[in-house]
Amino acid sequence: MDALPILRTGHPRTEHGFIRPIDGVEIPFALIEGEKPGPCLLVTAGVHASEYCSIEAALRLMKRSPAGLAGTILVLPILNMSGFGRRSIYVMPQDGRNLNRMFPGKPDGSVSERLADWLVTKVYPQADAYLDLHGGDLSEALQPFTLFPRDSEESKALAIAFGLPVAVSAGGEGYTINAAGRLGVPSIIAEVGGNGIWDEASVDELTAGIDRVLHHLGMADRSGYPPPEATPRIVTMWVPAATADGLWYPLRQLGDTVTAGDVLGEIRDVFGTVLEAVKARDDGVLLYKLSSLAVNRGEALLGTGTPLG
Ligand SMILES: [Zn+2]
């Protein structure tokens, strides 16, 4: 099948299988049309193929019953399928590019650019809301947070509904949620888990967030999941990139409160010489960090969240 099936037929149904969105790429999908009419929620995962909690949460969502559902859920659980089999970090193996930097893509570009273009032209316009599930990659550890495009109040409301403790008001270009947000689709990224580990508690945290969003959109009741403990803290995030190749020594723990000027970590050479000392730009909290000893120039080292307002 080269194209997605139609999302709304007026009859409750579940469909799943594989589609070929572009030449040489095949990805799984599931579509659940509910008993009642309602919005279409798009859920993607596996943009980064080794962020396993998000992939497992999306696979479980595929098994959801049409009973009690209003509207349609479209799940694309592993967008980077070749990367999944190879346990890739960050990139699509076909072109070595990070799909989540390629949006809005190009119809005649490399594989990741064409896949981004397919999502932007064929999939996002059909969605009324969009959840792109992520986590720390094989080489990253993080505390759960969501990201929303900073100029979209509807996306911010979606992030608050998802209910993770921190929501990041994000700028930048090239991301899934920027491209979807530009089309007027409320969109968030949810980040849970990391380091190639998947566990029931983290998958449950994502599943609970999806359920709260279904409730927020009027698509389902929230039965079985408690409301979030508190309204998320809204922050901006600062993400310094490595300026040298070497070995990475983070000096602070996830969740630590940091003060501008604090040394958060060092890049050293194999003899222990400090090549770069990374100092906090702002006061805030450490939300994620590169956990691998090896580091390459240009890679994100950590993220600190600074409360807005
Ligand atoms: Zn990711």
Side-chain angles (χ1 to χ4, degrees), residues 48 51 100 134-135 137 191:
H48 297 137
E51 296 173 356
N100 205 23
H134 285 251
D137 215 317
E191 303 262 6

Side-chain angles (χ1 to χ4, degrees), residues 38-60:
C40 175
L41 174 66
L42 169 67
V43 179
T44 61
V47 164
H48 297 137
S50 302
E51 296 173 356
Y52 297 130
C53 296
S54 55
I55 290 170
E56 178 62 15
L59 293 172
R60 291 185 189 184

